[in-house]
Amino acid sequence: MITKLTIAEAADKLAKKEISAYELAEAALQRIEETDEKVKAFLRVTKDEALKKAAEIDEKRRQGEELGALAGIPVAYKDNICTEGVLTTCASKMLHNFVPPYSATVVELLQQAGSVMLGKTNLDEFAIGSSTENSAFFTTHNPWDLKRVAGGSSGGSAAAVAAGQVLFALGTDTGGSIRQPAAFCGVVGLKPTYGLISRYGVVAFSSSLDQVGPVTKNVEDCALVLNVLAKHDPRDSTSVKREIPDYAGALTGEVKGLKIGVPKEYFGDGIDPQVKAVVRKALDVLLSLGAEAEEISLPLTEYGVPVYYLIAPAEASSNLARFDGIRYGYRAEADDLEEMYTKTRSEGFGAEVKRRILLGTYALSAERFADFYLKALKVRTLIKQDFDRAFAKFDLLLTPTTPNVSYIKGEVQDLLTEYMNDYCTIGASLAGLPAISVPCGYVNGLPVGMQLIGKPFAEPTILRVAHAYEQNCGLERKIPTLTEMGGSPSE
């Protein structure tokens, strides 16, 4: 099946003219048509545009024109990334009719590289959530077990890649929203260093945390996509101008002598013992390749979740204030302006979004600013210093990506339990560090992710280690069955 190909494999076949971009797009679209009623990864599919773009790529190849690095490769975008002329809803009633007049920088870069957009993927509304259960439209199902969540907020992107509907997808990560669904769906997900990839054209949730990143089938593909996306963007004031390495060229497989820190706080009582065992077994693979490991302490880890759930809602409160029914998006019928504001925001936003807005507004209020928001910022600095001290001695850190494997839809009713899903991923987000989730095994047939956290802009290091693990772990590549779990996943 063509859609089982990785980016590198497909690019090789396209270059050799063993397949055409049109055939690849057609096969992916057929896969979406056959499977998405079960998976529900896509909010919309851009079939006509995709086939037209693929045909153009084929014609350029026939004419001998120079093509981009991802020419003819199918991609999907999380639906909070603006795409010119294509509905972009953020999975919210508030933006049910919003068609952007421009594309995000990451979309422009991938278009220039020749990728073929197949559509927009589901997410938790405005990227707020950990399961896509907060989408205003429907919940995305985990391809490994359709009763379970795909994770969030980039659950649609992770599920689309895992189900073989696209060769790669883009998501956004605020507190773990690429890495957590990647772990749940058994794919690779990268949150880059804050400022490495442009956020221009990405609908903001929490501006000091949001980052765009790739979701791919393997680490090599992740590096290939990062080569395209890692560019300075003068339209994004947080975009960092620096020399960009060849990330794919960094995949040497050499890890001998690298020092890995293993934070004990990430292997504590709140982590499923079976998940811990799988991740420790993955560490053994790296040790067998010559890496060195030592248990360390990041004592402020326990404060990551409360700090995040003050800073992120506060920034969300500010960013989401623009959705008022006046300029664009949903507008409620009302007799006067004040009623229109109130009804629009009450009807347009879902429950979790309103909860975060209320929490953030409270934390920013004059009476509570110093007690909550300001204090959270100070502790955030201390958390970053925790990581700085660790990286003075170690090249990278290794942890589980999530405390548990994917859970059954509707099973988590307690908000605190849901928020703790981000326990392992929030620290790197608060510190602005690069982190990658790599599949490292299974618990009861469900994927487990290993997280590697690096120093700022040390993407080459974490990609190299992740790739070395992937090439030597001995794990058979399993394909999700797209059924409700009844037995072991198919080989």
Side-chain angles (χ1 to χ4, degrees):
M1 185 170 69
I2 290 179
T3 53
K4 289 183 180 179
L5 298 173
T6 65
I7 292 175
E9 292 166 345
D12 182 61
K13 288 183 178 294
L14 287 165
K16 293 176 179 177
K17 298 184 179 179
E18 294 177 6
I19 58 173
S20 68
Y22 193 92
E23 288 171 333
L24 186 55
E26 204 169 36
L29 289 164
Q30 183 178 347
R31 177 69 175 170
I32 293 169
E33 185 176 345
E34 291 171 350
T35 62
D36 207 51
E37 187 175 342
K38 294 180 179 179
V39 180
K40 296 189 178 296
F42 281 83
L43 288 174
R44 67 200 55 84
V45 177
T46 53
K47 179 178 179 179
D48 293 342
E49 296 90 336
L51 293 175
K52 180 181 178 182
K53 173 74 172 179
E56 291 172 357
I57 294 291
D58 287 334
E59 182 58 31
K60 288 180 180 179
R61 197 181 297 277
R62 278 192 290 271
Q63 297 293 333
E65 294 184 30
E66 185 176 347
L67 297 173
L70 299 176
I73 304 297
V75 60
Y77 297 105
K78 185 175 179 178
D79 202 35
N80 62 341
I81 299 173
C82 286
T83 42
E84 182 180 0
V86 178
L87 194 65
T88 300
T89 67
C90 292
S92 176
K93 182 179 178 180
M94 186 64 81
L95 288 177
H96 71 105
N97 60 356
F98 176 61
V99 178
Y102 67 99
S103 288
T105 296
V106 290
V107 174
E108 291 179 348
L109 290 171
L110 289 177
Q111 287 175 338
Q112 291 165 15
S115 65
V116 176
M117 180 179 75
L118 298 192
K120 308 294 291 290
T121 57
N122 193 29
L123 63 149
D124 288 292
E125 184 181 8
F126 285 103
I128 294 175
S130 303
S131 63
T132 75
E133 290 173 294
N134 294 319
S135 169
F137 304 114
F138 48 75
T139 299
T140 297
H141 303 157
N142 193 315
W144 294 91
D145 181 357
L146 298 176
K147 299 192 306 295
R148 297 176 184 270
V149 300
S153 60
S154 306
S157 291
V161 174
Q165 297 175 332
V166 289
L167 272 64
F168 77 104
L170 291 194
T172 62
D173 192 307
T174 306
S177 290
I178 289 174
R179 291 161 287 159
Q180 185 249 28
F184 278 7
C185 292
V187 292
V188 173
L190 173 72
K191 184 202 86 71
T193 305
Y194 187 83
L196 181 66
I197 294 177
S198 173
R199 293 186 300 114
Y200 177 79
V202 179
V203 179
F205 160 24
S206 178
S207 301
S208 73
L209 295 163
D210 296 342
Q211 285 292 272
V212 180
V215 179
T216 59
K217 294 179 181 178
N218 64 12
V219 177
E220 181 184 14
D221 284 2
C222 189
L224 291 170
V225 176
L226 191 60
N227 275 344
V228 174
L229 297 180
K231 301 283 190 298
H232 173 250
D233 182 8
R235 296 177 294 185
D236 176 4
S237 62
T238 65
S239 177
V240 177
K241 194 172 186 178
R242 60 182 287 117
E243 187 175 341
I244 301 298
D246 176 7
Y247 296 107
L251 307 182
T252 63
E254 182 57 57
V255 300
K256 188 174 182 179
L258 279 178
K259 295 181 178 178
I260 301 173
V262 184
K264 63 181 183 181
E265 289 80 8
Y266 289 74
F267 290 85
D269 294 339
I271 311 298
D272 185 316
Q274 292 177 291
V275 169
K276 284 190 279 189
V278 169
V279 175
R280 289 197 181 278
K281 186 177 179 182
L283 173 60
D284 289 340
V285 173
L286 295 174
L287 296 178
S288 73
L289 296 173
E292 302 169 12
E294 182 181 324
E295 185 177 83
I296 63 168
S297 178
L298 295 174
L300 294 176
T301 299
E302 64 178 298
Y303 299 107
V305 171
V307 165
Y308 175 85
Y309 281 99
L310 283 170
I311 293 175
E315 294 183 3
S317 170
S318 176
N319 280 321
L320 298 179
R322 71 195 67 179
F323 301 108
D324 54 13
I326 298 295
R327 286 156 285 205
Y328 50 82
Y330 177 73
R331 178 185 293 182
E333 295 293 328
D335 295 328
D336 56 55
L337 185 63
E338 183 175 351
E339 184 186 4
M340 189 273 292
Y341 279 146
T342 303
K343 288 182 68 176
T344 293
R345 291 173 66 79
S346 176
E347 297 172 5
F349 289 134
E352 183 61 22
V353 172
K354 286 188 279 192
R355 191 177 294 116
R356 302 280 183 105
I357 290 172
L358 289 170
L359 177 58
T361 303
Y362 182 73
L364 290 174
S365 66
E367 297 84 358
R368 293 289 177 261
F369 180 83
D371 291 338
F372 293 117
Y373 185 68
L374 188 58
K375 191 172 289 185
L377 291 179
K378 291 177 179 178
V379 179
R380 180 182 188 175
T381 300
L382 295 176
I383 290 171
K384 183 183 183 303
Q385 290 172 355
D386 249 4
F387 281 104
D388 291 342
R389 283 188 289 272
F391 286 124
K393 183 177 180 181
F394 297 96
D395 297 299
L396 70 157
L397 307 179
L398 184 150
T399 77
T401 306
T402 59
N404 44 261
V405 293
S406 174
Y407 52 88
I408 294 172
K409 297 188 298 289
E411 184 177 71
V412 176
Q413 300 291 335
D414 176 60
L415 284 173
L416 184 58
T417 301
E418 182 180 343
Y419 293 169
M420 289 302 291
N421 249 287
D422 300 328
Y423 178 83
C424 298
T425 53
I426 276 175
S429 295
L430 291 171
L433 301 171
I436 189 169
S437 178
V438 185
C440 66
Y442 302 87
V443 169
N444 299 324
L446 296 168
V448 174
M450 171 179 67
Q451 178 178 224
L452 302 174
I453 305 172
K455 302 174 184 178
F457 301 103
E459 279 81 0
T461 300
I462 61 173
L463 285 165
R464 173 159 53 99
V465 176
H467 184 254
Y469 168 76
E470 192 179 65
Q471 296 301 303
N472 292 277
C473 63
L475 288 176
E476 293 185 51
R477 188 174 172 186
K478 298 180 179 179
I479 307 299
T481 57
L482 306 190
T483 59
E484 293 190 356
M485 184 71 78
S488 298
S490 64
E491 299 298 324

